Amino acid sequence: MVFFDDMLPDESLEKFLDREVRPDTDFLSDCNQIIDTVVRLIHRHPKYSVNQVIKGGSLGKGTAIRGHSDVDLLVVLNNFKNIKHLKENMENVLYDFRDYLKSAVEREGNNIEIRIMGQTPFTLQFDLRCSDDSPWFDVDLLPIVDVWSTWLLGFAGGVQSTYSKMELKPHLRKYYAKSLAKLQIEFVKPMPPKVKDLICLLKYWKYTEQVELTSYCIELLVIHMWRENGEPNNFTMKQLMTKVVALLVTFGESTIAFSDHYTPSDYIQELGRNRPYVLDPSNPYHDVASDPHMSTDCSCIESKGKLLERKLDGLPELSEESGCVVS
């Protein structure tokens, strides 16, 4: 049984990852240069005081796969004193960045091309590339305010204070969530390379098999299982993938949460969470398992997980010690 359609006979997951899944190094280098140029332009916006630009998305977190690369640019603005103030001005902010970036990239972008793709209530969406024969990649620009620092507006508490505000102001939670995306990036980005490799393999599976899981959900499932198994340094892709796939097979029973920034039980009880749930470690009000971009029918995810589980049984595994394929 072939594990992935493009996999060679007796090829290990490690070798397949290197040959087919990881983005080309030249492409990554070009992307990073383009992003750095655009970040410099963002800092020079004549109308806004930019505190920092945080790079997220698959490129920013190090979980990009070939043909599916994107970056989120979280633009922390000093001009707005709180989320409500930003919300009231968001439409104008997005229009201003759209017009500015289009002209600035064309004028000073060192052969970078930009095409504006659209706009949501929270983001400006555009594509970038560096030459006519290079691929485009997706960029989302998100204007945000600092909702995590302990010194914010003179109040102590940092992100805990933010969660309290979200409880009192449910109509602003989506705006708070965009600013909390910084914590999502900080959660995934420091993961060991092998954990990210497994994330990339499962994202490849998601795209090729059209599995209705978000990339962020896959990231959280892998990190959860890696932590549950003692955060090992040495493991093969098959070893940890087998454990993650076991979660997919019973996805409808998932009860996954992280205590990095809040006490999950407080919000599970308060919000009446029912299985399945995968709580966002940065945002207790965001259940990744009920994301609108995911299927509400867990049986479809579970059935594809079972097929993946059967394929794993006969898959060769690369020995960490010998570098050889073992049965």
Side-chain angles (χ1 to χ4, degrees):
M1 182 183 292
V2 178
F3 192 72
F4 290 122
D5 289 343
D6 296 325
M7 206 165 179
L8 301 177
D10 297 324
E11 186 174 35
S12 68
L13 286 171
E14 283 85 352
K15 291 183 178 179
F16 177 72
L17 177 77
D18 192 49
R19 182 178 63 83
E20 192 67 26
V21 179
R22 288 194 183 101
D24 179 83
T25 53
D26 289 339
F27 170 73
L28 288 178
S29 177
D30 289 343
C31 286
N32 286 328
Q33 290 182 29
I34 294 171
I35 293 167
D36 287 345
T37 298
V38 171
V39 167
R40 286 195 293 271
L41 292 175
I42 289 171
H43 274 283
R44 288 160 51 187
H45 197 298
K47 189 173 179 180
Y48 297 101
S49 170
V50 177
N51 181 292
Q52 64 177 138
V53 180
I54 302 164
K55 302 172 190 176
S58 63
L59 288 168
K61 291 186 286 189
T63 60
I65 66 171
R66 196 172 303 177
H68 297 277
S69 301
D70 68 292
V71 65
D72 295 337
L73 298 178
L74 310 183
V75 182
V76 186
L77 298 173
N78 296 321
N79 304 73
F80 304 99
K81 58 185 180 181
N82 54 40
I83 289 289
K84 183 176 181 292
H85 190 198
L86 175 63
K87 176 182 181 296
E88 291 168 349
N89 292 274
M90 182 68 88
E91 187 173 2
N92 290 334
V93 173
L94 293 173
Y95 280 134
D96 288 341
F97 271 101
R98 181 197 63 188
D99 293 344
Y100 166 73
L101 279 178
K102 193 172 187 304
S103 60
V105 168
E106 291 172 354
R107 183 178 64 250
E108 307 177 48
N110 299 323
N111 299 320
I112 297 173
E113 294 183 62
I114 185 172
R115 59 185 185 191
I116 306 297
M117 303 303 292
Q119 190 171 308
T120 75
F122 311 99
T123 64
L124 173 66
Q125 301 165 326
F126 55 95
D127 290 349
L128 293 171
R129 69 174 179 178
C130 61
S131 64
D132 291 340
D133 57 352
S134 64
W136 295 89
F137 64 93
D138 302 332
V139 183
D140 280 358
L141 184 150
L142 295 81
I144 64 172
V145 297
D146 184 343
V147 297
W148 54 84
S149 295
T150 55
W151 47 261
L152 179 64
L153 302 181
F155 294 107
V159 73
Q160 299 301 324
S161 176
T162 294
Y163 297 147
S164 297
K165 292 183 178 70
M166 293 173 76
E167 180 179 5
L168 297 172
K169 302 174 182 179
H171 61 290
L172 293 176
R173 282 179 190 168
K174 290 184 178 179
Y175 288 88
Y176 277 107
K178 300 304 178 184
S179 293
L180 289 170
K182 172 185 183 287
L183 303 184
Q184 294 179 355
I185 298 165
E186 292 175 348
F187 186 78
V188 178
K189 190 172 182 177
M191 287 296 119
K194 292 190 71 172
V195 174
K196 292 183 182 180
D197 284 346
L198 180 53
I199 288 171
C200 291
L201 279 170
L202 287 168
K203 285 173 66 174
Y204 180 90
W205 168 73
K206 153 193 154 65
Y207 285 114
T208 56
E209 299 297 323
Q210 298 181 323
V211 183
E212 292 188 350
L213 284 167
T214 64
S215 294
Y216 188 42
C217 186
I218 288 175
E219 291 171 351
L220 296 185
L221 292 177
V222 171
I223 294 170
H224 166 75
M225 189 50 67
W226 176 70
R227 286 183 167 187
E228 285 291 296
N229 284 270
E231 303 184 4
N233 293 318
N234 294 316
F235 59 87
T236 65
M237 291 299 105
K238 180 179 177 180
Q239 287 170 344
L240 194 56
M241 181 182 276
T242 299
K243 296 179 182 297
V244 177
V245 170
L247 290 178
L248 296 172
V249 170
T250 58
F251 187 76
E253 298 299 311
S254 297
T255 56
I256 296 173
F258 304 86
S259 57
D260 298 58
H261 295 294
Y262 58 87
T263 302
S265 59
D266 294 345
Y267 295 92
I268 292 168
Q269 295 172 5
E270 175 192 342
L271 301 174
R273 295 292 184 196
N274 296 314
R275 300 181 181 186
Y277 61 79
V278 180
L279 294 192
D280 185 338
S282 74
N283 179 0
Y285 294 96
H286 180 205
D287 175 12
V288 180
S290 62
D291 191 286
H293 296 97
M294 283 177 51
S295 172
T296 55
D297 182 10
C298 293
S299 63
C300 184
I301 294 171
E302 291 175 349
S303 63
K304 292 188 177 183
K306 289 174 183 175
L307 178 59
L308 189 62
E309 189 176 50
R310 290 196 295 272
K311 289 181 175 182
L312 270 170
D313 287 341
L315 186 74
E317 185 168 41
L318 192 67
S319 167
E320 293 293 331
E321 291 79 16
S322 65
C324 300
V325 172
V326 296
S327 59

